[in-house]
Amino acid sequence: DSGVTQTPKHLITATGQRVTLRCSPRSGDLSVYWYQQSLDQGLQFLIQYYNGEERAKGNILERFSAQQFPDLHSELNLSSLELGDSALYFCASSDNSYNEQFFGPGTRLTVL
Amino acid sequence: SQKIEQNSEALNIQEGKTATLTCNYTNYSPAYLQWYRQDPGRGPVFLLLIRENEKEKRKERLKVTFDTTLKQSLFHITASQPADSATYLCALDDPNSGSARQLTFGSGTQLTVLP
């Protein structure tokens, strides 16, 4: 158990819809990272927050957004969903940007 | 951007042998490199981190080497066991990402240890 929690575990929705994925980092970790993993793309970095502020952006679509709240939990919002957004979405946390990342169990998103 | 290649998508070895996985990168040299293990449907689990000024790092049956001249890291599992079967990912930091130190992951090598 990494100490990182993600909800929901599974999410099935239709094209055009909007969903919110939630992540709670390990106690004391200030950095939260979001990744997308699909079969053909591997693990792709989306975005990082550090203590409530956006720190780095990767290959995140404009339809996706994220935020980190004062209690350090984070949410990833995916809107106008397309079939290609079906993937595993992982959240990870670390105590700073230079150390190992601890990954959550992931949310499996299926867009029908 | 960084391009990372991990040797063959799949590697099968016999129990008790040493598994050697390769991670090659093509562009800038990272300040550090990490190895993760991922089981199907689960999140990656951190194994080892090696910095650019370190040649080798060990942890129990695991050993990582880092050659910045060859732009390569080797990951060894000695006395391999069927329980070591998983996908192994290497990840490199991006020194151009400033204080964020964004990680770029390789596509992974799926290791199967046969009993």
Side-chain angles (χ1 to χ4, degrees), chain A residues 27-60:
Chain A
S27 176
D29 283 356
L30 299 179
S31 277
V32 169
Y33 309 78
W34 285 98
Y35 292 88
Q36 179 192 58
Q37 188 173 42
S38 55
L39 283 174
D40 58 344
Q41 290 284 328
L43 197 62
Q44 298 288 315
F45 168 73
L46 296 177
I47 197 165
Q48 178 201 359
Y49 278 83
Y50 178 83
N51 203 19
E53 293 188 4
E54 183 182 304
R55 179 65 69 91
K57 243 178 178 175
N59 300 320
I60 187 166

PDB file of all heavy atoms in Angstrom, chain A residues 27-60:
ATOM      1  N   SER A  27       0.474  11.098   3.384  1.00  0.00           N
ATOM      2  CA  SER A  27       0.545  12.119   4.421  1.00  0.00           C
ATOM      3  C   SER A  27       1.907  12.825   4.358  1.00  0.00           C
ATOM      4  O   SER A  27       2.959  12.182   4.363  1.00  0.00           O
ATOM      5  CB  SER A  27       0.377  11.441   5.792  1.00  0.00           C
ATOM      6  OG  SER A  27       0.520  12.381   6.815  1.00  0.00           O
ATOM      7  N   GLY A  28       1.866  14.146   4.282  1.00  0.00           N
ATOM      8  CA  GLY A  28       3.099  14.927   4.272  1.00  0.00           C
ATOM      9  C   GLY A  28       3.646  15.243   2.893  1.00  0.00           C
ATOM     10  O   GLY A  28       4.517  16.109   2.756  1.00  0.00           O
ATOM     11  N   ASP A  29       3.170  14.551   1.853  1.00  0.00           N
ATOM     12  CA  ASP A  29       3.671  14.824   0.503  1.00  0.00           C
ATOM     13  C   ASP A  29       3.005  16.078  -0.051  1.00  0.00           C
ATOM     14  O   ASP A  29       1.788  16.208  -0.012  1.00  0.00           O
ATOM     15  CB  ASP A  29       3.404  13.641  -0.436  1.00  0.00           C
ATOM     16  CG  ASP A  29       4.371  12.497  -0.212  1.00  0.00           C
ATOM     17  OD1 ASP A  29       5.299  12.650   0.624  1.00  0.00           O
ATOM     18  OD2 ASP A  29       4.198  11.449  -0.871  1.00  0.00           O
ATOM     19  N   LEU A  30       3.807  16.973  -0.593  1.00  0.00           N
ATOM     20  CA  LEU A  30       3.279  18.220  -1.131  1.00  0.00           C
ATOM     21  C   LEU A  30       3.073  18.175  -2.639  1.00  0.00           C
ATOM     22  O   LEU A  30       2.313  18.973  -3.185  1.00  0.00           O
ATOM     23  CB  LEU A  30       4.240  19.373  -0.800  1.00  0.00           C
ATOM     24  CG  LEU A  30       4.477  19.642   0.691  1.00  0.00           C
ATOM     25  CD1 LEU A  30       5.463  20.800   0.861  1.00  0.00           C
ATOM     26  CD2 LEU A  30       3.174  19.960   1.415  1.00  0.00           C
ATOM     27  N   SER A  31       3.778  17.275  -3.305  1.00  0.00           N
ATOM     28  CA  SER A  31       3.676  17.175  -4.766  1.00  0.00           C
ATOM     29  C   SER A  31       2.691  16.092  -5.178  1.00  0.00           C
ATOM     30  O   SER A  31       2.717  14.981  -4.642  1.00  0.00           O
ATOM     31  CB  SER A  31       5.044  16.832  -5.372  1.00  0.00           C
ATOM     32  OG  SER A  31       5.837  17.969  -5.538  1.00  0.00           O
ATOM     33  N   VAL A  32       1.855  16.440  -6.140  1.00  0.00           N
ATOM     34  CA  VAL A  32       0.929  15.471  -6.725  1.00  0.00           C
ATOM     35  C   VAL A  32       1.122  15.490  -8.237  1.00  0.00           C
ATOM     36  O   VAL A  32       1.240  16.557  -8.847  1.00  0.00           O
ATOM     37  CB  VAL A  32      -0.535  15.819  -6.389  1.00  0.00           C
ATOM     38  CG1 VAL A  32      -1.486  14.976  -7.221  1.00  0.00           C
ATOM     39  CG2 VAL A  32      -0.804  15.595  -4.906  1.00  0.00           C
ATOM     40  N   TYR A  33       1.170  14.307  -8.824  1.00  0.00           N
ATOM     41  CA  TYR A  33       1.353  14.152 -10.260  1.00  0.00           C
ATOM     42  C   TYR A  33       0.176  13.352 -10.819  1.00  0.00           C
ATOM     43  O   TYR A  33      -0.309  12.430 -10.170  1.00  0.00           O
ATOM     44  CB  TYR A  33       2.637  13.376 -10.570  1.00  0.00           C
ATOM     45  CG  TYR A  33       3.880  13.877  -9.890  1.00  0.00           C
ATOM     46  CD1 TYR A  33       4.128  13.575  -8.552  1.00  0.00           C
ATOM     47  CD2 TYR A  33       4.822  14.626 -10.578  1.00  0.00           C
ATOM     48  CE1 TYR A  33       5.271  14.022  -7.911  1.00  0.00           C
ATOM     49  CE2 TYR A  33       5.971  15.076  -9.949  1.00  0.00           C
ATOM     50  CZ  TYR A  33       6.189  14.767  -8.621  1.00  0.00           C
ATOM     51  OH  TYR A  33       7.335  15.211  -7.997  1.00  0.00           O
ATOM     52  N   TRP A  34      -0.216  13.675 -12.037  1.00  0.00           N
ATOM     53  CA  TRP A  34      -1.226  12.889 -12.734  1.00  0.00           C
ATOM     54  C   TRP A  34      -0.612  12.297 -13.999  1.00  0.00           C
ATOM     55  O   TRP A  34       0.111  12.997 -14.737  1.00  0.00           O
ATOM     56  CB  TRP A  34      -2.427  13.738 -13.109  1.00  0.00           C
ATOM     57  CG  TRP A  34      -3.322  14.068 -11.958  1.00  0.00           C
ATOM     58  CD1 TRP A  34      -3.339  15.217 -11.222  1.00  0.00           C
ATOM     59  CD2 TRP A  34      -4.346  13.226 -11.405  1.00  0.00           C
ATOM     60  NE1 TRP A  34      -4.306  15.141 -10.251  1.00  0.00           N
ATOM     61  CE2 TRP A  34      -4.942  13.934 -10.347  1.00  0.00           C
ATOM     62  CE3 TRP A  34      -4.827  11.943 -11.713  1.00  0.00           C
ATOM     63  CZ2 TRP A  34      -5.988  13.409  -9.579  1.00  0.00           C
ATOM     64  CZ3 TRP A  34      -5.856  11.428 -10.955  1.00  0.00           C
ATOM     65  CH2 TRP A  34      -6.425  12.144  -9.899  1.00  0.00           C
ATOM     66  N   TYR A  35      -0.919  11.013 -14.241  1.00  0.00           N
ATOM     67  CA  TYR A  35      -0.435  10.307 -15.419  1.00  0.00           C
ATOM     68  C   TYR A  35      -1.599   9.599 -16.101  1.00  0.00           C
ATOM     69  O   TYR A  35      -2.554   9.180 -15.449  1.00  0.00           O
ATOM     70  CB  TYR A  35       0.596   9.229 -15.036  1.00  0.00           C
ATOM     71  CG  TYR A  35       1.905   9.756 -14.506  1.00  0.00           C
ATOM     72  CD1 TYR A  35       2.066  10.019 -13.152  1.00  0.00           C
ATOM     73  CD2 TYR A  35       2.987   9.976 -15.356  1.00  0.00           C
ATOM     74  CE1 TYR A  35       3.274  10.481 -12.657  1.00  0.00           C
ATOM     75  CE2 TYR A  35       4.196  10.439 -14.867  1.00  0.00           C
ATOM     76  CZ  TYR A  35       4.332  10.690 -13.518  1.00  0.00           C
ATOM     77  OH  TYR A  35       5.527  11.153 -13.030  1.00  0.00           O
ATOM     78  N   GLN A  36      -1.461   9.441 -17.398  1.00  0.00           N
ATOM     79  CA  GLN A  36      -2.403   8.652 -18.179  1.00  0.00           C
ATOM     80  C   GLN A  36      -1.644   7.453 -18.747  1.00  0.00           C
ATOM     81  O   GLN A  36      -0.530   7.625 -19.265  1.00  0.00           O
ATOM     82  CB  GLN A  36      -2.984   9.489 -19.323  1.00  0.00           C
ATOM     83  CG  GLN A  36      -3.963   8.742 -20.207  1.00  0.00           C
ATOM     84  CD  GLN A  36      -4.262   9.524 -21.486  1.00  0.00           C
ATOM     85  OE1 GLN A  36      -3.378   9.853 -22.256  1.00  0.00           O
ATOM     86  NE2 GLN A  36      -5.537   9.842 -21.697  1.00  0.00           N
ATOM     87  N   GLN A  37      -2.234   6.268 -18.624  1.00  0.00           N
ATOM     88  CA  GLN A  37      -1.592   5.091 -19.198  1.00  0.00           C
ATOM     89  C   GLN A  37      -2.567   4.349 -20.097  1.00  0.00           C
ATOM     90  O   GLN A  37      -3.577   3.826 -19.629  1.00  0.00           O
ATOM     91  CB  GLN A  37      -1.068   4.156 -18.114  1.00  0.00           C
ATOM     92  CG  GLN A  37      -0.219   3.005 -18.666  1.00  0.00           C
ATOM     93  CD  GLN A  37       0.429   2.179 -17.573  1.00  0.00           C
ATOM     94  OE1 GLN A  37      -0.191   1.862 -16.563  1.00  0.00           O
ATOM     95  NE2 GLN A  37       1.709   1.822 -17.750  1.00  0.00           N
ATOM     96  N   SER A  38      -2.283   4.334 -21.380  1.00  0.00           N
ATOM     97  CA  SER A  38      -3.069   3.546 -22.311  1.00  0.00           C
ATOM     98  C   SER A  38      -2.155   2.511 -22.937  1.00  0.00           C
ATOM     99  O   SER A  38      -0.934   2.614 -22.848  1.00  0.00           O
ATOM    100  CB  SER A  38      -3.698   4.445 -23.378  1.00  0.00           C
ATOM    101  OG  SER A  38      -2.696   5.212 -24.015  1.00  0.00           O
ATOM    102  N   LEU A  39      -2.761   1.522 -23.574  1.00  0.00           N
ATOM    103  CA  LEU A  39      -1.988   0.391 -24.103  1.00  0.00           C
ATOM    104  C   LEU A  39      -0.947   0.839 -25.119  1.00  0.00           C
ATOM    105  O   LEU A  39       0.162   0.334 -25.151  1.00  0.00           O
ATOM    106  CB  LEU A  39      -2.916  -0.649 -24.715  1.00  0.00           C
ATOM    107  CG  LEU A  39      -3.648  -1.538 -23.710  1.00  0.00           C
ATOM    108  CD1 LEU A  39      -4.650  -2.435 -24.414  1.00  0.00           C
ATOM    109  CD2 LEU A  39      -2.651  -2.353 -22.905  1.00  0.00           C
ATOM    110  N   ASP A  40      -1.319   1.809 -25.943  1.00  0.00           N
ATOM    111  CA  ASP A  40      -0.402   2.189 -27.015  1.00  0.00           C
ATOM    112  C   ASP A  40       0.500   3.371 -26.677  1.00  0.00           C
ATOM    113  O   ASP A  40       1.405   3.700 -27.437  1.00  0.00           O
ATOM    114  CB  ASP A  40      -1.197   2.493 -28.299  1.00  0.00           C
ATOM    115  CG  ASP A  40      -2.208   3.602 -28.071  1.00  0.00           C
ATOM    116  OD1 ASP A  40      -2.502   3.915 -26.908  1.00  0.00           O
ATOM    117  OD2 ASP A  40      -2.703   4.167 -29.067  1.00  0.00           O
ATOM    118  N   GLN A  41       0.269   4.009 -25.521  1.00  0.00           N
ATOM    119  CA  GLN A  41       1.037   5.220 -25.212  1.00  0.00           C
ATOM    120  C   GLN A  41       1.941   5.085 -23.997  1.00  0.00           C
ATOM    121  O   GLN A  41       2.752   5.948 -23.731  1.00  0.00           O
ATOM    122  CB  GLN A  41       0.088   6.398 -24.970  1.00  0.00           C
ATOM    123  CG  GLN A  41      -0.618   6.891 -26.217  1.00  0.00           C
ATOM    124  CD  GLN A  41       0.304   7.694 -27.093  1.00  0.00           C
ATOM    125  OE1 GLN A  41       1.209   8.364 -26.605  1.00  0.00           O
ATOM    126  NE2 GLN A  41       0.100   7.603 -28.394  1.00  0.00           N
ATOM    127  N   GLY A  42       1.794   4.035 -23.233  1.00  0.00           N
ATOM    128  CA  GLY A  42       2.615   3.941 -22.040  1.00  0.00           C
ATOM    129  C   GLY A  42       2.166   4.955 -21.005  1.00  0.00           C
ATOM    130  O   GLY A  42       1.080   5.517 -21.078  1.00  0.00           O
ATOM    131  N   LEU A  43       3.044   5.213 -20.056  1.00  0.00           N
ATOM    132  CA  LEU A  43       2.724   6.115 -18.947  1.00  0.00           C
ATOM    133  C   LEU A  43       3.092   7.542 -19.352  1.00  0.00           C
ATOM    134  O   LEU A  43       4.260   7.867 -19.520  1.00  0.00           O
ATOM    135  CB  LEU A  43       3.516   5.681 -17.713  1.00  0.00           C
ATOM    136  CG  LEU A  43       3.070   6.194 -16.354  1.00  0.00           C
ATOM    137  CD1 LEU A  43       1.671   5.721 -16.034  1.00  0.00           C
ATOM    138  CD2 LEU A  43       4.041   5.721 -15.279  1.00  0.00           C
ATOM    139  N   GLN A  44       2.080   8.381 -19.507  1.00  0.00           N
ATOM    140  CA  GLN A  44       2.297   9.747 -19.975  1.00  0.00           C
ATOM    141  C   GLN A  44       2.031  10.733 -18.844  1.00  0.00           C
ATOM    142  O   GLN A  44       0.951  10.727 -18.256  1.00  0.00           O
ATOM    143  CB  GLN A  44       1.360  10.055 -21.145  1.00  0.00           C
ATOM    144  CG  GLN A  44       1.580   9.180 -22.367  1.00  0.00           C
ATOM    145  CD  GLN A  44       2.854   9.515 -23.104  1.00  0.00           C
ATOM    146  OE1 GLN A  44       3.166  10.672 -23.333  1.00  0.00           O
ATOM    147  NE2 GLN A  44       3.625   8.491 -23.456  1.00  0.00           N
ATOM    148  N   PHE A  45       2.985  11.614 -18.599  1.00  0.00           N
ATOM    149  CA  PHE A  45       2.836  12.638 -17.578  1.00  0.00           C
ATOM    150  C   PHE A  45       1.841  13.694 -18.050  1.00  0.00           C
ATOM    151  O   PHE A  45       1.914  14.183 -19.184  1.00  0.00           O
ATOM    152  CB  PHE A  45       4.200  13.279 -17.306  1.00  0.00           C
ATOM    153  CG  PHE A  45       4.156  14.524 -16.483  1.00  0.00           C
ATOM    154  CD1 PHE A  45       3.893  14.477 -15.125  1.00  0.00           C
ATOM    155  CD2 PHE A  45       4.384  15.761 -17.071  1.00  0.00           C
ATOM    156  CE1 PHE A  45       3.865  15.635 -14.364  1.00  0.00           C
ATOM    157  CE2 PHE A  45       4.366  16.925 -16.321  1.00  0.00           C
ATOM    158  CZ  PHE A  45       4.094  16.862 -14.962  1.00  0.00           C
ATOM    159  N   LEU A  46       0.911  14.033 -17.191  1.00  0.00           N
ATOM    160  CA  LEU A  46      -0.088  15.053 -17.530  1.00  0.00           C
ATOM    161  C   LEU A  46       0.221  16.389 -16.856  1.00  0.00           C
ATOM    162  O   LEU A  46       0.378  17.405 -17.520  1.00  0.00           O
ATOM    163  CB  LEU A  46      -1.488  14.583 -17.139  1.00  0.00           C
ATOM    164  CG  LEU A  46      -2.022  13.360 -17.872  1.00  0.00           C
ATOM    165  CD1 LEU A  46      -3.399  12.977 -17.331  1.00  0.00           C
ATOM    166  CD2 LEU A  46      -2.094  13.603 -19.374  1.00  0.00           C
ATOM    167  N   ILE A  47       0.297  16.362 -15.525  1.00  0.00           N
ATOM    168  CA  ILE A  47       0.444  17.622 -14.810  1.00  0.00           C
ATOM    169  C   ILE A  47       0.940  17.362 -13.393  1.00  0.00           C
ATOM    170  O   ILE A  47       0.726  16.284 -12.845  1.00  0.00           O
ATOM    171  CB  ILE A  47      -0.894  18.395 -14.806  1.00  0.00           C
ATOM    172  CG1 ILE A  47      -0.703  19.860 -14.439  1.00  0.00           C
ATOM    173  CG2 ILE A  47      -1.912  17.720 -13.900  1.00  0.00           C
ATOM    174  CD1 ILE A  47      -1.922  20.727 -14.789  1.00  0.00           C
ATOM    175  N   GLN A  48       1.635  18.371 -12.834  1.00  0.00           N
ATOM    176  CA  GLN A  48       2.112  18.288 -11.456  1.00  0.00           C
ATOM    177  C   GLN A  48       1.684  19.515 -10.680  1.00  0.00           C
ATOM    178  O   GLN A  48       1.732  20.639 -11.196  1.00  0.00           O
ATOM    179  CB  GLN A  48       3.636  18.197 -11.407  1.00  0.00           C
ATOM    180  CG  GLN A  48       4.204  18.157  -9.972  1.00  0.00           C
ATOM    181  CD  GLN A  48       5.658  18.577  -9.882  1.00  0.00           C
ATOM    182  OE1 GLN A  48       6.293  18.897 -10.882  1.00  0.00           O
ATOM    183  NE2 GLN A  48       6.200  18.564  -8.671  1.00  0.00           N
ATOM    184  N   TYR A  49       1.288  19.286  -9.433  1.00  0.00           N
ATOM    185  CA  TYR A  49       1.013  20.377  -8.503  1.00  0.00           C
ATOM    186  C   TYR A  49       1.930  20.242  -7.308  1.00  0.00           C
ATOM    187  O   TYR A  49       2.274  19.135  -6.883  1.00  0.00           O
ATOM    188  CB  TYR A  49      -0.449  20.348  -8.035  1.00  0.00           C
ATOM    189  CG  TYR A  49      -1.372  20.996  -9.025  1.00  0.00           C
ATOM    190  CD1 TYR A  49      -1.846  20.284 -10.127  1.00  0.00           C
ATOM    191  CD2 TYR A  49      -1.740  22.333  -8.887  1.00  0.00           C
ATOM    192  CE1 TYR A  49      -2.672  20.886 -11.053  1.00  0.00           C
ATOM    193  CE2 TYR A  49      -2.562  22.943  -9.819  1.00  0.00           C
ATOM    194  CZ  TYR A  49      -3.020  22.207 -10.893  1.00  0.00           C
ATOM    195  OH  TYR A  49      -3.827  22.803 -11.827  1.00  0.00           O
ATOM    196  N   TYR A  50       2.334  21.379  -6.785  1.00  0.00           N
ATOM    197  CA  TYR A  50       3.162  21.389  -5.577  1.00  0.00           C
ATOM    198  C   TYR A  50       2.541  22.381  -4.607  1.00  0.00           C
ATOM    199  O   TYR A  50       2.475  23.582  -4.895  1.00  0.00           O
ATOM    200  CB  TYR A  50       4.610  21.765  -5.901  1.00  0.00           C
ATOM    201  CG  TYR A  50       5.498  21.828  -4.678  1.00  0.00           C
ATOM    202  CD1 TYR A  50       6.064  20.673  -4.156  1.00  0.00           C
ATOM    203  CD2 TYR A  50       5.764  23.039  -4.032  1.00  0.00           C
ATOM    204  CE1 TYR A  50       6.870  20.714  -3.039  1.00  0.00           C
ATOM    205  CE2 TYR A  50       6.570  23.091  -2.918  1.00  0.00           C
ATOM    206  CZ  TYR A  50       7.120  21.921  -2.414  1.00  0.00           C
ATOM    207  OH  TYR A  50       7.914  21.959  -1.298  1.00  0.00           O
ATOM    208  N   ASN A  51       2.073  21.881  -3.494  1.00  0.00           N
ATOM    209  CA  ASN A  51       1.502  22.715  -2.440  1.00  0.00           C
ATOM    210  C   ASN A  51       0.463  23.690  -2.980  1.00  0.00           C
ATOM    211  O   ASN A  51       0.450  24.865  -2.616  1.00  0.00           O
ATOM    212  CB  ASN A  51       2.621  23.476  -1.717  1.00  0.00           C
ATOM    213  CG  ASN A  51       2.227  23.915  -0.322  1.00  0.00           C
ATOM    214  OD1 ASN A  51       1.274  23.380   0.270  1.00  0.00           O
ATOM    215  ND2 ASN A  51       2.913  24.899   0.197  1.00  0.00           N
ATOM    216  N   GLY A  52      -0.380  23.185  -3.845  1.00  0.00           N
ATOM    217  CA  GLY A  52      -1.502  23.973  -4.342  1.00  0.00           C
ATOM    218  C   GLY A  52      -1.251  24.726  -5.638  1.00  0.00           C
ATOM    219  O   GLY A  52      -2.192  25.262  -6.232  1.00  0.00           O
ATOM    220  N   GLU A  53      -0.001  24.749  -6.079  1.00  0.00           N
ATOM    221  CA  GLU A  53       0.294  25.500  -7.296  1.00  0.00           C
ATOM    222  C   GLU A  53       0.734  24.562  -8.422  1.00  0.00           C
ATOM    223  O   GLU A  53       1.453  23.593  -8.184  1.00  0.00           O
ATOM    224  CB  GLU A  53       1.408  26.514  -7.030  1.00  0.00           C
ATOM    225  CG  GLU A  53       1.002  27.622  -6.080  1.00  0.00           C
ATOM    226  CD  GLU A  53       2.050  28.714  -6.000  1.00  0.00           C
ATOM    227  OE1 GLU A  53       3.059  28.640  -6.736  1.00  0.00           O
ATOM    228  OE2 GLU A  53       1.860  29.633  -5.188  1.00  0.00           O
ATOM    229  N   GLU A  54       0.324  24.896  -9.623  1.00  0.00           N
ATOM    230  CA  GLU A  54       0.760  24.105 -10.772  1.00  0.00           C
ATOM    231  C   GLU A  54       2.258  24.267 -10.944  1.00  0.00           C
ATOM    232  O   GLU A  54       2.774  25.375 -10.990  1.00  0.00           O
ATOM    233  CB  GLU A  54       0.027  24.584 -12.031  1.00  0.00           C
ATOM    234  CG  GLU A  54       0.364  23.779 -13.277  1.00  0.00           C
ATOM    235  CD  GLU A  54      -0.344  24.335 -14.500  1.00  0.00           C
ATOM    236  OE1 GLU A  54      -1.583  24.444 -14.492  1.00  0.00           O
ATOM    237  OE2 GLU A  54       0.368  24.687 -15.469  1.00  0.00           O
ATOM    238  N   ARG A  55       2.976  23.131 -11.075  1.00  0.00           N
ATOM    239  CA  ARG A  55       4.435  23.186 -11.162  1.00  0.00           C
ATOM    240  C   ARG A  55       4.928  22.817 -12.554  1.00  0.00           C
ATOM    241  O   ARG A  55       5.905  23.359 -13.041  1.00  0.00           O
ATOM    242  CB  ARG A  55       5.028  22.242 -10.112  1.00  0.00           C
ATOM    243  CG  ARG A  55       6.521  22.155 -10.078  1.00  0.00           C
ATOM    244  CD  ARG A  55       7.193  23.463  -9.682  1.00  0.00           C
ATOM    245  NE  ARG A  55       6.975  23.840  -8.307  1.00  0.00           N
ATOM    246  CZ  ARG A  55       7.765  23.494  -7.301  1.00  0.00           C
ATOM    247  NH1 ARG A  55       8.792  22.713  -7.511  1.00  0.00           N
ATOM    248  NH2 ARG A  55       7.508  23.930  -6.086  1.00  0.00           N
ATOM    249  N   ALA A  56       4.280  21.845 -13.185  1.00  0.00           N
ATOM    250  CA  ALA A  56       4.722  21.413 -14.513  1.00  0.00           C
ATOM    251  C   ALA A  56       3.540  20.847 -15.289  1.00  0.00           C
ATOM    252  O   ALA A  56       2.610  20.291 -14.706  1.00  0.00           O
ATOM    253  CB  ALA A  56       5.819  20.351 -14.408  1.00  0.00           C
ATOM    254  N   LYS A  57       3.607  21.025 -16.591  1.00  0.00           N
ATOM    255  CA  LYS A  57       2.559  20.518 -17.466  1.00  0.00           C
ATOM    256  C   LYS A  57       3.187  19.621 -18.512  1.00  0.00           C
ATOM    257  O   LYS A  57       4.207  19.960 -19.103  1.00  0.00           O
ATOM    258  CB  LYS A  57       1.867  21.688 -18.167  1.00  0.00           C
ATOM    259  CG  LYS A  57       0.421  21.842 -17.835  1.00  0.00           C
ATOM    260  CD  LYS A  57      -0.170  23.055 -18.522  1.00  0.00           C
ATOM    261  CE  LYS A  57      -1.643  23.142 -18.198  1.00  0.00           C
ATOM    262  NZ  LYS A  57      -2.275  24.336 -18.728  1.00  0.00           N
ATOM    263  N   GLY A  58       2.562  18.487 -18.744  1.00  0.00           N
ATOM    264  CA  GLY A  58       3.044  17.582 -19.770  1.00  0.00           C
ATOM    265  C   GLY A  58       2.087  17.590 -20.936  1.00  0.00           C
ATOM    266  O   GLY A  58       1.593  18.626 -21.366  1.00  0.00           O
ATOM    267  N   ASN A  59       1.779  16.396 -21.433  1.00  0.00           N
ATOM    268  CA  ASN A  59       0.897  16.286 -22.594  1.00  0.00           C
ATOM    269  C   ASN A  59      -0.569  16.291 -22.194  1.00  0.00           C
ATOM    270  O   ASN A  59      -1.310  15.381 -22.501  1.00  0.00           O
ATOM    271  CB  ASN A  59       1.205  14.990 -23.346  1.00  0.00           C
ATOM    272  CG  ASN A  59       2.642  14.951 -23.826  1.00  0.00           C
ATOM    273  OD1 ASN A  59       3.161  15.964 -24.280  1.00  0.00           O
ATOM    274  ND2 ASN A  59       3.286  13.811 -23.704  1.00  0.00           N
ATOM    275  N   ILE A  60      -0.978  17.329 -21.516  1.00  0.00           N
ATOM    276  CA  ILE A  60      -2.359  17.385 -21.047  1.00  0.00           C
ATOM    277  C   ILE A  60      -3.208  18.150 -22.047  1.00  0.00           C
ATOM    278  O   ILE A  60      -2.850  19.238 -22.492  1.00  0.00           O
ATOM    279  CB  ILE A  60      -2.442  18.020 -19.636  1.00  0.00           C
ATOM    280  CG1 ILE A  60      -3.855  17.913 -19.088  1.00  0.00           C
ATOM    281  CG2 ILE A  60      -1.909  19.434 -19.622  1.00  0.00           C
ATOM    282  CD1 ILE A  60      -3.965  18.198 -17.606  1.00  0.00           C
TER     283      ILE A  60
END
